[in-house]
Amino acid sequence: MDDEKEVQAISDIYRILGGLDEDTCLRVLTLAISKFGTGSNQQAPSALVTPHQGVSNNSSELSESGFDSFAELYDAFNAANETEQALIAAYWVQKVEGSTSWQSLAPNKLLKDTGYGIENITRALSGSIDRKPKHIVQLKKDGKSKQARKTYKLTSAGIKYVKSRLDDAEEVVE
């Protein structure tokens, strides 16, 4: 499967499963895995959770710090503007949910679910792309129009920045 199809499939899964309760989501994912397999010799994950509900295995560093939900992480980060709002949501999508790359829909859905949706998420992400060093990079653009779907990824500088802000917030609380 090429990258474009994989990103689209992941986006479709989030759109479809995002509104389901955890039990229903687990049943749907279990059925899908039994029908289509995992695509490798690896076992299916033992604990499946719905997107944005609960913490995945990739989030041990966050759960140890007490961030069991995006809303808690967002609150601790204390974003000063839309660029930082987009950055913290992107951090959750990439580091907690384990997405290697993502489209702007995923972080903006997180923000909308917590009441902080951004009208122009692409412009907000551009603020992190235009920084030196870059906090986010655009990996590809599907289509020629200005509104074409773009695929992004956090850089190591972006990850370090978020972690340092969270460490600073933790020190203030203690």
Side-chain angles (χ1 to χ4, degrees), residues 3-24:
D3 288 341
E4 182 177 325
K5 287 182 179 178
E6 183 177 353
V7 168
Q8 184 60 49
I10 291 168
S11 175
D12 290 346
I13 289 167
Y14 277 96
R15 181 182 47 78
I16 292 165
L17 299 179
L20 300 177
D21 63 82
E22 191 169 345
D23 291 337
T24 304

Side-chain angles (χ1 to χ4, degrees), residues 94 128 133-137 153-161:
Q94 187 168 319
S128 289
K134 293 178 184 282
H135 287 175
I136 293 175
V137 292
K153 183 175 185 172
L154 281 171
T155 64
S156 57
I159 293 166
K160 286 178 187 174
Y161 176 76

Side-chain angles (χ1 to χ4, degrees), residues 119-133:
E119 187 173 326
N120 189 335
I121 187 73
T122 304
R123 184 176 40 216
L125 291 169
S126 293
S128 289
I129 292 171
D130 295 340
R131 287 184 56 102
K132 299 272 190 234

Side-chain angles (χ1 to χ4, degrees), residues 104-124:
S104 60
L105 174 70
N108 205 28
K109 180 171 180 358
L110 277 172
L111 292 165
K112 284 180 181 178
D113 288 348
T114 55
Y116 300 103
I118 297 173
E119 187 173 326
N120 189 335
I121 187 73
T122 304
R123 184 176 40 216

Side-chain angles (χ1 to χ4, degrees), residues 20-32:
L20 300 177
D21 63 82
E22 191 169 345
D23 291 337
T24 304
C25 184
L26 182 59
R27 285 193 304 273
V28 170
L29 290 173
T30 302
L31 176 65

